[in-house]
Amino acid sequence: MHRTHYAAEVSAQEIGKTVAVAGWVDRRRDHGGLIFIDLRDRSGVIQLRVDPSAGPVFSAADRLRPESVIAVEGVVRARPPGMENPELITGAIEIEPMRLAVLSEAKTPPFLPHEEAERVDELVRLRYRYLDLRRPKMLAHFALRNRVVFAFRRYLHEHGFLEVETPALARSTPEGARDFLVPSRLQPGHFYALPQSPQLFKQLLMVAGFDRYYQVAKVFRDEDLRADRQPEFTQVDIEMSFVDQEDVLREMEALVHAVFRESLGVDLEPFPRLTWDEAQRRYGSDKPDLRAGPPLLDLTAAAHRDHWPVLGAAEHVAAVVLPGVNPSRRQWDGLLERARALGAPGLIWLWRGEDLRTNARALGAGFVEALAAAAGIARGDGLLVVGGPRAETCAVAGQLRLEAADAFGLRQSGWKFLWVTDFPLFEWSDEEGRWVSAHHPFTMPHPEDLDRLETDPARVRSLAYDVVLNGVELASGSMRIFQPELQARVFRVLGLSPEAVTAQFGFLLEAFQYGAPPHGGIAFGLDRLVMLMAGAKSLREVIAFPKTARGTDPLTEAPSRVDPRQLRELSLTVVEPS
RNA sequence: GGAGGUGUGGUGUAGUCGGCCUAACACGCAUGCCUGUCACGCAUGAGAUCGCGGGUUCGAAUCCCGUCACCUCCGCCA
């Protein structure tokens, strides 16, 4: 019996013909004298109809269990009038099996791979991942993922990018996330690190003159997990030579447009651009969600000019406009509490209805009117106002904007992309007591800020940029330093001694001395992109065999202890935690 | 490292301010019946000592302490 059709491919055209299908028993409906079997394969389901005249086929069908694997050869029949199922692609036909072979009998599974399995405890789903992946929805996630990767590859291939693999066993570098280490047997006491990104290798490929590179690269970061963070994940890593930032942004935006068109059939709008500074001021975030209502208002000037009570003394005054809402007293109180939890000492709310409602009555009716006027709110609009130090105030207002948008259903649907540019080059690390790279140490400083590199690191911008989609950081990149002297200056600001630099990055700096082109690039978080495209809430829904929040795999029970012999070969001893 | 949530037959849940719980319901499972179903239907039945350990109590799924697992968030993630 050799399969001739996928289940959902059998159509009315085959009526009267003999076909062979194979797959899993999705459901069995036994009417005693008549048995219906839904046979499921990757394409969908088709109904088999077995009646007692079928002899051995009937007795086999009688004993069939859900999720057993069967192969069937039979004649395609039109269903009797009135018996069609419009819900099914194959709902107008059925197969009358002449032969039925049970290829593999299934135990009763812990859950059946129907869509209700969505509600099964996730631990059980992960423990039996192969059953969970049988669900059409999960399959659809991976079909989408495949289309997305294929679209990336097609575009990049067609635009002259070369896919090159870089090592998974690489050198540990101290900057950035915690490394996963791999002990070396041949070099006792030495370790490889799994790459956090192919960053250094792709820059070396630019020095090599490969000009345009990409890689669908698995990368690793040993940090705590989140719904949108797994210890191993996939980047579409890209680098280009002889380009400026504008070239990169234009090419990468075209790439994303192509990926959406090809894999979802969606034509995207051009991406708006915001500088990091604007993003902070208007959204209180470096990854604004443009769907969550209007941007923040900056009322600082009005507050200072008119000497508003309380707010007049604040460094920054930010307001969230809530268009067309009617919050209850309880909801206002909830927002007040959230503001306090986020670190804002106070929050003024007001709402324009018949008259002006507010919690700031005590500050004077005139002030309240002035506030409403300054914000320009219309009837039915609400307003949240916070004041204080600039960065904190923007952050709190930005967070309130998101939470209020969800509370009042203001968050729209759609694909709201944007570029965030001009990230700061450095951030002060209290923990380390020094400046650290905001992106990575090879990021090109903004040319206009070069003269204050040493004198005012906080105000040095960089040629670094992110792609943000619906409030999620989707891609991050930068133009790179390719002059050894400039790189040395940046390392100095970072407090890295020449010796440390030579030890850790000497090979890169040396490479730059042999002729390095100007270059820059970006890396897309593939898993996150697919998650958003699939409308999923967790990366685990778009990774075939993901890890739990504690970094384990309930299916294979990784990580595991290893045989002492293995440890000895690696010159390792385990010190048990006390 | 911290905070919160969850944990009851195979699965999902109810019960959780102690006794009526000899733990209920749905799905699944088993057996039987059923020739047009497609979440088939009907009947009968099996199956959990309530994550684990300890404590309080005459009595604990229920209260207390500890612990484990999973989920979410903060820290962390160049």
Side-chain angles (χ1 to χ4, degrees), chain A residues 352-409:
Chain A
R352 194 187 277 292
E354 283 292 313
D355 44 13
L356 218 43
R357 275 199 266 148
T358 179
N359 66 337
R361 188 68 59 205
L363 298 180
F367 159 66
V368 174
E369 278 297 343
L371 192 53
I377 58 169
R379 203 183 155 113
D381 290 353
L383 192 71
L384 304 170
V385 189
V386 287
R390 190 177 165 202
E392 290 83 346
T393 299
C394 288
V396 170
Q399 188 61 35
L400 286 175
R401 171 176 172 270
L402 296 178
E403 296 186 13
D406 287 333
F408 304 120

Side-chain angles (χ1 to χ4, degrees), chain A residues 304-372:
Chain A
H304 289 180
R305 187 189 59 229
D306 299 334
H307 305 289
W308 285 350
V310 187
L311 296 174
E315 183 193 351
H316 191 83
V317 178
V320 183
V321 181
L322 307 171
V325 298
N326 190 3
S328 63
R329 185 61 197 230
R330 178 189 292 267
Q331 285 175 308
W332 286 123
D333 287 345
L335 288 166
L336 208 60
E337 198 165 310
R338 281 301 301 154
R340 227 172 274 133
L342 292 166
L347 169 79
I348 294 176
W349 60 259
L350 52 90
W351 183 77
R352 194 187 277 292
E354 283 292 313
D355 44 13
L356 218 43
R357 275 199 266 148
T358 179
N359 66 337
R361 188 68 59 205
L363 298 180
F367 159 66
V368 174
E369 278 297 343
L371 192 53

